[in-house]
């Protein structure tokens, strides 16, 4: 039987969902057990808040508002599946089982929005790949270390340069790649596969 | 149809959602067409700017299909939409 970790901010709603799902799957409320097959995040306020952290443990299915913005936010945060929390329980149960197998489930009529997001992501990566050619060899080195999670001081020590020089390199890299934050730079570098040694 | 084509939805078409299906109506042909979710998603992408190959790459990425398989599916769907005069190239 599929083991489900159920996380939610509304105790009554979460208990109701757990009871409804328990006929078909094994449900643990609260902190997801380490051996769970899928984690269901059911939260009315900010359903994507913990998704990134939970997605490292198991595939995550988010139950949230019935709107494309929430779907895209959940997927961007690392969710495998997304359903409106108003979906019929039988549909939710089916989606939970599919998500446990790694199959993505989204509302059918939101598929276009998801494809549009994927196309835009690929366009950004394509543009960044072209911009990579404008980086100097040193800037590429700095970017590769940053992509692996090294901070400014660590990069400076590794490359035998000052932290201020690293900062200058990072500022130039961000300008060339048209990104505006360290998090955005890290995500882009990961998308380009630069975190590999 | 080429991968570098940029299909565009016909402006006059109106749509109506019913459950997970969409019915589109073309006033010039006087015909209504039921689109399944995949066909509707592809139809939504026909903005005159998005390349057929971009649609196929996105479908391949999300559905875990081989690129040539995704291109075949997208091309067939677009051909059906074009036959129904719902899109132009």
């Amino acid at each position: 039987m599929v083991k489900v970790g159920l996380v939610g901010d509304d105790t009554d709603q979460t208990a109701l969902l757990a009871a409804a799902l328990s006929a078909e799957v094994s449900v643990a409320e609260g902190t997801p057990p380490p051996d769970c097959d899928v984690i269901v995040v059911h939260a009315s306020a900010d359903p994507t808040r913990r998704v990134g952290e939970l997605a490292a443990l198991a595939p995550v299915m988010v139950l949230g508002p019935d709107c494309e913005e929430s779907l895209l936010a959940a997927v961007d945060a690392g969710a495998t599946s997304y359903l409106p929390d108003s979906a019929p329980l039988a549909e939710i149960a089916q989606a939970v089982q599919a998500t446990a197998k790694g199959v993505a489930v989204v509302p059918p009529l939101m598929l276009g929005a998801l494809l549009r997001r994927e196309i835009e992501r690929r366009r950004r990566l394509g543009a960044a790949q072209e911009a990579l050619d404008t980086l100097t060899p040193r800037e590429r080195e700095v970017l590769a270390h940053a992509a692996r999670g090294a901070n400014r001081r660590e990069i400076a020590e590794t490359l035998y340069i000052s932290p201020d020089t690293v900062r200058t390199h990072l500022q130039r890299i961000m300008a060339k790649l048209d990104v505006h934050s360290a998090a955005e730079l890290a995500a882009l570098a990961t998308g380009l596969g630069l975190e590999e040694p | 149809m080429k991968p570098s084509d940029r299909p565009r939805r016909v402006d006059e078409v109106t749509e109506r959602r019913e459950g997970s299906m969409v019915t589109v109506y073309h006033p010039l042909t006087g015909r209504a067409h039921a689109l399944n979710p995949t066909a509707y998603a592809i139809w939504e992408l026909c903005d005159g700017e998005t390349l057929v190959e971009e649609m196929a790459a996105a479908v391949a990425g999300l559905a875990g299909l081989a690129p040539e398989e995704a291109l075949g599916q997208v091309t067939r769907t677009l051909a059906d939409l074009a036959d129904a005069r719902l899109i132009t190239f």
Side-chain angles (χ1 to χ4, degrees):
Chain A
M1 184 177 266
V2 171
K3 291 182 185 171
V4 181
L6 186 54
V7 179
D9 61 2
D10 182 327
T11 312
D12 291 344
Q13 285 295 319
T14 304
L16 175 66
L17 186 60
L21 291 176
S22 61
E24 304 198 34
V25 296
S26 165
V27 181
E29 290 180 60
T31 305
D35 63 342
C36 66
D37 301 306
V38 56
I39 298 169
V40 176
V41 177
H42 178 223
S44 51
D46 182 5
T48 62
R49 191 169 51 87
R50 290 188 58 198
V51 169
E53 153 201 345
L54 294 171
L57 306 175
V60 171
M61 183 173 108
V62 171
L63 296 173
D66 188 6
C67 65
E68 289 179 354
E69 291 76 15
S70 296
L71 160 75
L72 296 175
V75 170
D76 284 349
T80 299
S81 296
Y82 186 94
L83 278 185
D85 49 15
S86 57
L89 286 168
E91 190 180 330
I92 293 174
Q94 275 187 339
V96 166
Q97 309 233 27
T99 305
K101 295 175 188 162
V103 177
V105 179
V106 298
L109 295 185
M110 292 188 188
L111 185 57
L114 211 51
L115 285 170
R116 169 64 60 202
R117 174 62 59 96
E118 177 68 7
I119 288 169
E120 287 167 0
R121 187 185 71 81
R122 286 168 181 266
R123 284 177 179 168
R124 279 197 306 275
L125 281 180
Q129 192 71 54
E130 285 180 18
L132 270 185
D133 294 340
T134 68
L135 299 187
T136 65
R138 192 53 130 183
E139 286 169 346
R140 282 170 174 267
E141 276 185 291
V142 170
L143 178 58
H145 287 289
R148 289 197 282 273
N151 61 31
R152 216 186 326 155
R153 184 182 52 76
E154 291 166 337
I155 297 172
E157 285 175 2
T158 305
L159 298 180
Y160 303 106
I161 55 180
S162 77
D164 282 347
T165 305
V166 173
R167 183 177 59 191
T168 303
H169 281 311
L170 286 172
Q171 287 171 341
R172 286 181 181 157
I173 292 166
M174 289 168 71
K176 287 180 179 179
L177 299 183
D178 193 26
V179 298
H180 307 286
S181 70
E184 205 181 335
L185 182 65
L188 185 62
T190 302
L192 292 169
L194 295 179
E195 78 282 20
E196 299 298 327
Chain B
M1 185 189 319
K2 302 186 297 293
S4 58
D5 282 339
R6 302 172 191 266
R8 177 188 293 278
R9 289 186 300 277
V10 172
D11 288 338
E12 297 84 0
V13 173
T14 56
E15 64 179 71
R16 177 188 169 90
R17 295 183 177 208
E18 293 175 84
S20 62
M21 295 293 287
V22 175
T23 302
V24 294
Y25 174 70
H26 194 321
L28 298 183
T29 63
R31 294 187 63 187
H33 306 268
L35 302 184
N36 64 33
T38 305
Y40 180 64
I42 298 294
W43 187 68
E44 281 190 305
L45 294 177
C46 295
D47 55 7
E49 294 181 4
T50 303
L51 302 170
V52 172
E53 63 189 4
E54 286 184 308
M55 297 179 191
V59 169
L62 288 182
L65 296 176
E68 59 275 15
E69 187 181 353
L71 182 60
Q73 288 191 7
V74 168
T75 302
R76 281 191 295 277
T77 301
L78 290 171
D80 289 343
L81 293 171
D83 286 346
R85 295 171 59 187
L86 296 173
I87 59 171
T88 58
F89 289 93

